[in-house]
Amino acid sequence: MAFSDSATKQLDALTSEAELHALDRALVVISVDPDVGEPIPEGTAGPQLREYADEVERVRLLYWVSALGTVVVVAFIEV
C-alpha cells in the first residue's frame, strides 16, 4: 500500500488513537479486497478512483489500484 503526498499529510495530522485504529481497520479491508470500494464515475484519463466508506468506523478513503492489481494507492483520508 502506498500513500499520495496529500494522504501522507492527512495521515501525519491524525493524533487520536481512535482515529488511527479506525483508519488501520479500513486500510486492512481495502488491502485484502481492493474491489470493495465503489467506483467513482470516470471524468478524466487516469486510474479508476474508488471510494471506500466505513460507516461504523466513520472512515472514508479514496484510492486506486495499480494496473497489476498489486498496489493500492491511497489518495485521500477522512476520519
Side-chain angles (χ1 to χ4, degrees):
M1 188 163 297
F3 297 91
S4 68
D5 291 342
S6 171
T8 299
K9 288 178 186 174
Q10 293 165 322
L11 181 61
D12 290 343
L14 296 179
T15 57
S16 160
E17 186 74 27
E19 289 177 331
L20 291 171
H21 177 72
L23 176 60
D24 187 48
R25 288 176 50 96
L27 292 172
V28 167
V29 169
I30 64 171
S31 70
V32 170
D33 182 7
D35 294 326
V36 70
E38 296 294 322
I40 295 175
E42 292 184 50
T44 62
Q48 171 68 56
L49 280 175
R50 300 183 73 82
E51 176 181 16
Y52 172 73
D54 183 326
E55 299 301 324
V56 174
E57 295 287 351
R58 305 190 81 144
V59 174
R60 181 173 159 239
L61 300 172
L62 298 183
Y63 66 97
W64 69 87
V65 181
S66 71
L68 297 176
T70 57
V71 177
V72 175
V73 180
V74 178
F76 176 80
I77 300 169
E78 182 178 87
V79 180

